[in-house]
Amino acid sequence: MMEQIAKIDMALDELLVSLGGMVLRLSHPQVTRTHEERMALARSVNQFATCAARSRDPRVLRLNEDLKASLKPRLRLVASR
């Protein structure tokens, strides 16, 4: 029974890694340009975080952090002359 649970847990982690990778690709500024796209990205990141909350897989945890960081506003450096 415990072996089956471990297999399911590993399969879920693999799915989360795949899903997180897809969402991370969508977080690129050239992909999510509009307000609506950014809102959809935020929903996806929040849903991923909910699913990843109990994972112990370091890949899932890292993706979760990367996805959260992708929602932060991007700052532009402006040089004055």
Side-chain angles (χ1 to χ4, degrees):
M1 178 71 166
M2 292 302 288
E3 186 177 314
Q4 290 174 331
I5 292 173
K7 285 182 183 179
I8 292 169
D9 191 48
M10 287 175 50
L12 288 173
D13 283 336
E14 290 301 322
L15 286 171
L16 285 170
V17 168
S18 295
L19 178 63
M22 286 185 255
V23 175
L24 194 57
R25 285 189 291 281
L26 292 172
S27 72
H28 195 275
Q30 292 179 339
V31 177
T32 53
R33 295 179 186 175
T34 67
H35 175 71
E36 291 81 13
E37 291 169 340
R38 295 291 297 166
M39 295 303 295
L41 174 65
R43 283 191 303 274
S44 295
V45 170
N46 289 333
Q47 289 171 345
F48 181 86
T50 299
C51 294
R54 294 185 181 249
S55 177
R56 292 187 198 120
D57 188 313
R59 301 171 299 163
V60 173
L61 300 176
R62 180 67 191 156
L63 276 167
N64 194 29
E65 292 302 316
D66 291 347
L67 287 169
K68 286 178 184 177
S70 75
L71 293 180
K72 294 180 181 172
R74 291 172 178 84
L75 301 176
R76 289 186 287 168
L77 181 61
V78 178
S80 64
R81 294 179 183 217

